[in-house]
Amino acid sequence: SIQSEITSIQLAQESFASNDLAQESLSVEYYDQKIFELEEVPKGNAILLSLNGLLLSEGIDYQLDSKDVNIDTSFCITVDDSLIVSYLK
């Protein structure tokens, strides 16, 4: 049921100490920027990345290489865009 899924998600969130979860707003420094550097290497080399609120897919929309996030060339990133990344550290 939906309620049990919500409870499972809440329990999973509570199981992580707040210092284990990182969330960064990636700064777009110039028009059509493709490479962004994270503050730390994500645990398990996995992130959640959103562009203007839309969740992007690793391997399709971006590639992750250690601390570097490489955005697919089909995206034209501007300084007005919002890139938010979340990951376990």
Side-chain angles (χ1 to χ4, degrees), residues 42-57:
K43 187 175 190 176
N45 204 36
I47 63 172
L48 291 176
L49 179 64
S50 69
L51 172 62
N52 299 326
L54 298 174
L55 191 60
L56 303 182
S57 298

Side-chain angles (χ1 to χ4, degrees), residues 5 13 24 38 40 47 54 59 68-69 73 76-77 83 88:
E5 289 180 27
Q13 290 173 336
E24 299 177 34
L38 304 176
E40 297 186 40
I47 63 172
L54 298 174
D68 293 332
V69 178
T73 56
C76 187
I77 307 295
L83 280 166
L88 294 175

Side-chain angles (χ1 to χ4, degrees), residues 25-74:
S25 176
L26 302 177
S27 297
V28 180
E29 298 174 8
Y30 55 89
Y31 177 78
D32 207 21
Q33 183 175 349
K34 299 296 181 200
I35 300 175
F36 300 86
E37 186 176 352
L38 304 176
E39 292 176 7
E40 297 186 40
V41 176
K43 187 175 190 176
N45 204 36
I47 63 172
L48 291 176
L49 179 64
S50 69
L51 172 62
N52 299 326
L54 298 174
L55 191 60
L56 303 182
S57 298
E58 184 173 6
I60 297 171
D61 302 322
Y62 70 91
Q63 300 292 326
L64 179 62
D65 182 19
S66 187
K67 289 174 41 173
D68 293 332
V69 178
N70 300 291
I71 305 293
D72 186 85
T73 56
S74 64

Side-chain angles (χ1 to χ4, degrees), residues 73-85:
T73 56
S74 64
F75 289 98
C76 187
I77 307 295
T78 70
V79 294
D80 294 328
D81 287 327
S82 171
L83 280 166
I84 306 292
V85 62

